[in-house]
Amino acid sequence: MIPFEKENLGSDNKRALIVHPDMASLSQSALEHRLEEAVGLALAIGLVATDARYYSVRNPKPATLFGSGQVDQIAGIMKENSATILIVDGSLTAIQQRNLEEKIDVKVIDRTGLILEIFGARAATAEGRLQVELAHLDYQAGRLVRSWTHLERQRGGFGFLGGPGETQIESDRRMIRDRMAKLRKDLAHLRKTRALHRERRQRAPWPVVALVGYTNAGKSTLFNRLTGADVFAEDLLFATLDPTMREFPLPGYDKAILSDTVGFVSDLPTQLVAAFRATLEEVSAADIVVHVRDISHEATDAQAMDVRQILLDLGVSGEAGEGPPVIEAWNKIDKISSDDPQYARISPPLPENVCTISAQTGAGVDTLVNLIAKTLSEGYKCEEVTIAAADGKRMAWLHENGRVLSSEQKSDDLILAVEMSPRNWGRYHALD
């Protein structure tokens, strides 16, 4: 159980109890990390956790998930801590959520609902708000099981002889479906706009570098250091939601574009992954992906596995022919002392695609930039192309994006031997 200093809790703050249903028989350290993350999620939306506990749930109850004795114990802890919100760090069905609210007489939120609330509070752009609203409605659509008095049937037909019409709950579901259809249409338009922007960037000679990683791994801090931007960066889960792009200097290139994306988290709600697919597609369209890891965190390997799984779902695996290459930036080395168990891990030799950095102090950032440039230049291949001798624009593009090894003029054409990266060859052929 995580200790809490109750005397530091302000009376004005919304007090919450966090419980984790352990249905996978996790280890003690894994449970502690899971509770710690849940506390951080609650804090990200302004909730103060008065306590956080886990309960072994071997046989989930269809009505309440937890056993009756566990529910009574949770109710007692809620009363003892004067908590008004129960956060269940897992998934609840609509019936389980309603029954727990009735038995404990408090507001109940599951992990999906909590993350959706955070995203709803953080969405700053029009696109972000549309995506969050769609995810919210998708989540709520199956939870219209309220026992409100207005759920009786509405009168249908005309005049006084109309028969029974649709129930209020059916009306609510219909309105949600209609709103979701409109949001999907708006997002489809935005998706096309993003695709056009990506196509325009692909025609330009500048490589795109996407930062990905677990939430609070330090992506925004690294983004600010590389670009000189002032993106909001705090020691807070999901501090950044809306993707941001800025240019930054890269050796061997005129300039490059750096993209900061939303942080990932374990058990990321499927509604969010679906709603944010247009945004996350920016990752798969990048020339290289930098996976930023908080190497000082005890659960860094588990966090990395969660990120890799989401990247795999997006079609980004780092393997040849399967999306852009992926390199890892092991961040927050300034938090690791010489007697830390992780110290030996960050000592040389390191894997070829790994670089240790501190985005906060700047240590190792120059090495990371050089690794990005080196990785981008790997896999270059030589092709022979024929262009019109008068096509100065295409000639300039080839010189900017690759190396022209030889040039031979035949009649009004030029035959060039050019060496470029596979991604740039794709861009070149898209010019036709």
Side-chain angles (χ1 to χ4, degrees), residues 71-91:
V71 172
D72 292 339
Q73 185 179 3
I74 291 171
I77 298 172
M78 294 283 297
K79 186 175 181 180
E80 177 186 343
N81 293 335
S82 301
T84 57
I85 298 175
L86 174 64
I87 298 174
V88 178
D89 186 39
S91 296

Side-chain angles (χ1 to χ4, degrees), residues 288-301:
I288 186 171
V289 174
V290 178
H291 177 188
V292 183
R293 293 177 55 178
D294 178 2
I295 201 64
S296 68
H297 199 286
E298 294 180 9
T300 183
D301 290 329

